[in-house]
Amino acid sequence: MRTATVKALYKRELLDIFRDKKTVVMMVALPILLYPALIIAMVLIINAVTASQAEKEYTVYMDLDQEADTAIRGFAALDEKDEDALDYKLQFLSMDQVTEKLAENDTENEQAKDGEEEADPLKRALTDKVLNAYVTGNKENGYEIHYLSAKTDSNIAKNALKQAFDLYEEDLREETVKAAGLEVKAILEPIDVSLQDISSKEESVGSQIGSLLPFFIITSVLMGALYPSIDVTAGEKERGTLETLLTLPITNLEMLLSKFFAVATISCISAFLNIFSMGGAMLFLVSGAIASAEDLNVSLDYKVFLPGIGFTLIVMLFFAMLVTAVCMCTCIFAKSFKEANNYATPVMLVFMFGGYATLLPNLELTAKSAVLPIVNVALMIKSLFGFSADYGLFAMVLASNMAYSLLAILVLSRLYNSEAVLFSEGFTSVRLFAKRSEMKKGQMPGGGDVVIVMTSTILLMLYLGTFAVAKLGFYGVAVQQAMILLVPVLYAWYIKADAKKLFSLRMPHPLSWIGALLMVVGAFVLAMFLGAILAPLFPESAQNVNDLSEFLSTAGKIPTVLVIALMPAAGEELLFRGFFMGTLREKAKPVTVIALTAIFFAAYHMSLLRFFTVGVIGLSFTVAAYKSRSIFLSMLMHFCNNLTAVITSWYPDKTEKLLDLDPKVLESPLTLFALLSAALGAVVVGYLLVRPAEEKQAAEPVA
Amino acid sequence: MIKAENLTKQFERTVLSEENPAKKKKKSKKETFYAVDHVSFEVKDGEIVGLLGPNGAGKTTLLRMLGSLMGPTEGQVTITDKEGNVITDPVEQKRNIGYLSGNTKLYHRLSVREMLSTLAEIYGIEKAETEKRIREISEVLDMDAFLDNRIERLSTGQTQRASIARTLIHQPEIYIFDEPTLGLDILSADAIVSFMKTRKEAGKTVLYSTHYLEEAQFLCDRILMIEKGRIVCEGSPAEIMERTKTENLREAFHVIMKHEDRKEEAEANKSGEESEE
């Protein structure tokens, strides 16, 4: 590679990009003018709305006992400076006033017709906005605040009334205590609890910045990279200059690197401009707030953020490379700007989704999350501003981003060597991008479709699935499994795939059922044996398996069987032995298809120990499904395997003797040999019993 | 001199076949075909060779392989320079080739001068030499008036001249033009034709494809007729007309293509009979 050539091409690319109006608008106009203007306008509008809400009087009606009526009116009449004053102003209407206003409304709108009038005038007053809320009841039967939760004003009136009732209740409580001759404070406030936030203002501010900033950075880098990426790939094809470039004495790598560095430069500049302009806008707003609230003692030591800002810029630089490579990899397949925009949309969604990682509960930067693309950048920036950065993990984040970038560049260099891609023969391995009306019924997905389905399923599982489990616990697992099932099925439906062929939906031969059961029993024993050997090597993974057992014990038996045994048997099989294997078997040799399916299935379980044990069991599922051409066999095997795990978690003591491999067993060669031989024998006999499902022959046309 | 030896290019294409007439379901399958089928020829210094053939005959693929824009499935391209060095490396070959086609567009956002300077930098030409060459090319092609204008603002004729300038900046020995006069007005087309003649006079090698048979008859020293990726006729315009007993190249072209059609039909019938047996 000649650096002088790359430099010359890089200069040409930059000059070309900078003269593109679309890029300049996206890079300069948006970040410098529009974003700050939008932020400032939004804050000003919110302030104005809040101020007008504070000034406004909310109309209410009360039908209460005299004592409560007086008390509530009393609290509403308090001066703003009184500590018991309500947050919002209330205007009390009498029944006559309500009726009068309703009548006025009816006359104006001429809508009141016989039989259509609301039986309760107060309810009608609420819907007609004559009243924002009303209260009924008495001390004996209790009070009711009536309001419309869908209306902002009604909610505010409700809150003000609730606040007044809380104060009234407090007064009543104090009076009762006093009347009993007791000391109010000793009874109602026997102890004092106060909150002492020992984190500094800088730490609090940093934590808030750290939650929001990653999303802005990721979006900015992405927006900065996207348009130039389209311009230098699909745009170049559309303008017909790519062929001109190919006439020059340059290697594909030189061409690719010059484009890559040019886009990465633009992406970084754009991200810097975005961040500084948004930061400036924020600073303007904060300084305005400080100036208007003189009594507030707001002073921040901005210097403490400098290391965080510096390291964030470094992370951003590495991340920009990854984003650039991914964007270019995607856009190179397009023949035009418009087509590239379509391809870029899912990429944008994935990246922006990753930007939200900082808002997910319990997701911290660890050795594992440090290698998760996009998420690691978001979490790193969060920890930098939260003053909790681990610089070992920082290095891991940089290294993983660099590794992913290199991988993406490698893919890109392969694509730039592909004449089919360069001479615009299109992205035939992805059926999704064609118009649905032009899709052929009964087509099979391409390699690109497999990548999209697998990536989107895993990303959905990582983000939405993790969120669902955190929120819903056990039932979150059901949500995860539903996603795994729906993604391949919906995708296949959308591209009008031949579902029977793709998912191997064929009824197996009766003997195959027996064969499959023998195979899963044998594979299960082999996997347990392997697990017993490997468990000491991966203690963390073994602990995770135990944690899972505890997690399962929290749900009922039928839901557990449904969610842990049945749903994965359907969903995971449709994804792996269905979509993944069904697509691959059209394109690769049996050994490759079976090995890849088993490896991906094992890797999907995201545990080092389970990679091997699940790998063995998954291999048996794959072989059975491949040989029989029926997914129902692997579904049965998967169900049996998971059901065994579920039963084990219910009766650990009883099953321990039956299933758990005692280390002593491993020490006795004879027992060990017998056990392994039996397991292997079961697998082999099972394999021999499995036979291909019969294809129903179409009736021969009558001549 | 440029030489093609056994040059072959295979592509994959998707074809629809009637799978089940009862259900009227169509199945698509992929098949490979020869876009260029074992072609060998050479074009000498000071010679203009025209490549003629109907659409889809393989002209563009053949020229792309000769210009090293595309790699062959089989065979090779060799270039022999003035010093007698045989060049086989595709990147080095490009230094000796000026390639122009309807698909080689210019960078619209750059001026003509900026484009030529950038290209010269990529070719490794010194700055002073670049300026000198730009001056010379501008004078020859009468580009002084628009040399510093952005290409997007040029007229079609001016753009065409800028395209020619692009192929001249590195002073190549071989010129490959793919339908260079297609869609141009008479003046622009004539400018290209006279440019090719000046290249020939300067002892350069010119290979070009065209659909304008009168232009080829008048301009070319030799003609290669290509159909379905194979060379079906080769010779000077006069030789071809004599062989086909026609009065001009257009008539000769029709005679040759009809002959090819009949040959193909006969082959198809023969293979049909064999399969029935």
Side-chain angles (χ1 to χ4, degrees), chain B residues 14 37 54 58 97 123 174 185 227 239 270:
Chain B
T14 307
D37 190 358
I97 296 172
Y123 281 107
I174 298 155
D185 60 43
E227 164 68 335
E239 283 169 0
K270 198 180 164 191

mmCIF file of all heavy atoms in Angstrom, chain B residues 14 37 54 58 97 123 174 185 227 239 270:
data_model
loop_
_atom_site.group_PDB
_atom_site.id
_atom_site.type_symbol
_atom_site.label_atom_id
_atom_site.label_comp_id
_atom_site.label_asym_id
_atom_site.label_seq_id
_atom_site.Cartn_x
_atom_site.Cartn_y
_atom_site.Cartn_z
ATOM 1 N N THR B 14 -29.693 -15.476 -12.727
ATOM 2 C CA THR B 14 -30.851 -16.199 -12.220
ATOM 3 C C THR B 14 -31.845 -16.362 -13.358
ATOM 4 O O THR B 14 -32.181 -15.388 -14.039
ATOM 5 C CB THR B 14 -31.496 -15.410 -11.066
ATOM 6 O OG1 THR B 14 -30.474 -15.120 -10.127
ATOM 7 C CG2 THR B 14 -32.598 -16.208 -10.399
ATOM 8 N N ASP B 37 -15.913 -15.424 -24.050
ATOM 9 C CA ASP B 37 -15.651 -16.857 -24.149
ATOM 10 C C ASP B 37 -14.323 -17.121 -24.889
ATOM 11 O O ASP B 37 -14.275 -17.186 -26.114
ATOM 12 C CB ASP B 37 -16.840 -17.483 -24.905
ATOM 13 C CG ASP B 37 -16.818 -18.993 -24.855
ATOM 14 O OD1 ASP B 37 -15.872 -19.547 -24.279
ATOM 15 O OD2 ASP B 37 -17.754 -19.610 -25.406
ATOM 16 N N PRO B 54 -23.694 -6.725 -31.239
ATOM 17 C CA PRO B 54 -24.977 -6.249 -30.715
ATOM 18 C C PRO B 54 -24.923 -6.041 -29.201
ATOM 19 O O PRO B 54 -23.942 -6.437 -28.554
ATOM 20 C CB PRO B 54 -25.943 -7.394 -31.062
ATOM 21 C CG PRO B 54 -25.090 -8.592 -31.224
ATOM 22 C CD PRO B 54 -23.744 -8.116 -31.675
ATOM 23 N N GLY B 58 -20.912 -8.770 -25.122
ATOM 24 C CA GLY B 58 -19.730 -8.936 -24.259
ATOM 25 C C GLY B 58 -18.664 -7.886 -24.502
ATOM 26 O O GLY B 58 -17.547 -8.014 -23.992
ATOM 27 N N ILE B 97 -2.751 2.759 -19.604
ATOM 28 C CA ILE B 97 -4.039 2.757 -20.309
ATOM 29 C C ILE B 97 -4.826 4.035 -20.012
ATOM 30 O O ILE B 97 -4.896 4.478 -18.861
ATOM 31 C CB ILE B 97 -4.895 1.527 -19.878
ATOM 32 C CG1 ILE B 97 -4.204 0.223 -20.290
ATOM 33 C CG2 ILE B 97 -6.298 1.588 -20.464
ATOM 34 C CD1 ILE B 97 -4.855 -1.030 -19.753
ATOM 35 N N TYR B 123 -1.171 9.431 -10.160
ATOM 36 C CA TYR B 123 -0.246 8.794 -11.107
ATOM 37 C C TYR B 123 1.215 9.058 -10.717
ATOM 38 O O TYR B 123 2.132 8.563 -11.363
ATOM 39 C CB TYR B 123 -0.500 9.299 -12.536
ATOM 40 C CG TYR B 123 -1.690 8.650 -13.207
ATOM 41 C CD1 TYR B 123 -2.871 9.344 -13.412
ATOM 42 C CD2 TYR B 123 -1.625 7.322 -13.639
ATOM 43 C CE1 TYR B 123 -3.960 8.747 -14.036
ATOM 44 C CE2 TYR B 123 -2.716 6.718 -14.250
ATOM 45 C CZ TYR B 123 -3.880 7.439 -14.447
ATOM 46 O OH TYR B 123 -4.952 6.831 -15.047
ATOM 47 N N ILE B 174 -1.783 3.209 -24.456
ATOM 48 C CA ILE B 174 -2.958 2.490 -24.975
ATOM 49 C C ILE B 174 -4.227 3.233 -24.582
ATOM 50 O O ILE B 174 -4.368 3.670 -23.435
ATOM 51 C CB ILE B 174 -2.987 1.049 -24.400
ATOM 52 C CG1 ILE B 174 -1.740 0.289 -24.869
ATOM 53 C CG2 ILE B 174 -4.252 0.297 -24.785
ATOM 54 C CD1 ILE B 174 -1.339 -0.826 -23.980
ATOM 55 N N ASP B 185 -23.588 14.949 -29.668
ATOM 56 C CA ASP B 185 -23.953 15.674 -30.881
ATOM 57 C C ASP B 185 -22.809 15.544 -31.899
ATOM 58 O O ASP B 185 -21.713 15.047 -31.572
ATOM 59 C CB ASP B 185 -24.264 17.140 -30.568
ATOM 60 C CG ASP B 185 -23.079 17.857 -29.958
ATOM 61 O OD1 ASP B 185 -21.959 17.662 -30.450
ATOM 62 O OD2 ASP B 185 -23.255 18.598 -28.970
ATOM 63 N N GLU B 227 -19.918 -11.750 -30.788
ATOM 64 C CA GLU B 227 -21.302 -12.169 -30.535
ATOM 65 C C GLU B 227 -21.274 -13.280 -29.491
ATOM 66 O O GLU B 227 -20.494 -14.233 -29.608
ATOM 67 C CB GLU B 227 -21.928 -12.637 -31.868
ATOM 68 C CG GLU B 227 -23.209 -13.455 -31.754
ATOM 69 C CD GLU B 227 -24.415 -12.666 -31.236
ATOM 70 O OE1 GLU B 227 -24.214 -11.666 -30.529
ATOM 71 O OE2 GLU B 227 -25.543 -13.062 -31.518
ATOM 72 N N GLU B 239 -11.434 -6.202 -45.922
ATOM 73 C CA GLU B 239 -11.408 -7.674 -45.949
ATOM 74 C C GLU B 239 -12.771 -8.261 -45.575
ATOM 75 O O GLU B 239 -13.258 -9.192 -46.207
ATOM 76 C CB GLU B 239 -10.363 -8.198 -44.954
ATOM 77 C CG GLU B 239 -8.932 -8.089 -45.453
ATOM 78 C CD GLU B 239 -7.921 -8.361 -44.327
ATOM 79 O OE1 GLU B 239 -8.352 -8.628 -43.171
ATOM 80 O OE2 GLU B 239 -6.717 -8.278 -44.605
ATOM 81 N N LYS B 270 -29.676 -29.841 -33.508
ATOM 82 C CA LYS B 270 -28.846 -31.049 -33.450
ATOM 83 C C LYS B 270 -28.840 -31.621 -32.036
ATOM 84 O O LYS B 270 -29.030 -32.820 -31.841
ATOM 85 C CB LYS B 270 -27.420 -30.683 -33.871
ATOM 86 C CG LYS B 270 -26.583 -31.887 -34.262
ATOM 87 C CD LYS B 270 -25.199 -31.426 -34.665
ATOM 88 C CE LYS B 270 -24.230 -32.578 -34.686
ATOM 89 N NZ LYS B 270 -22.854 -32.128 -34.813
#
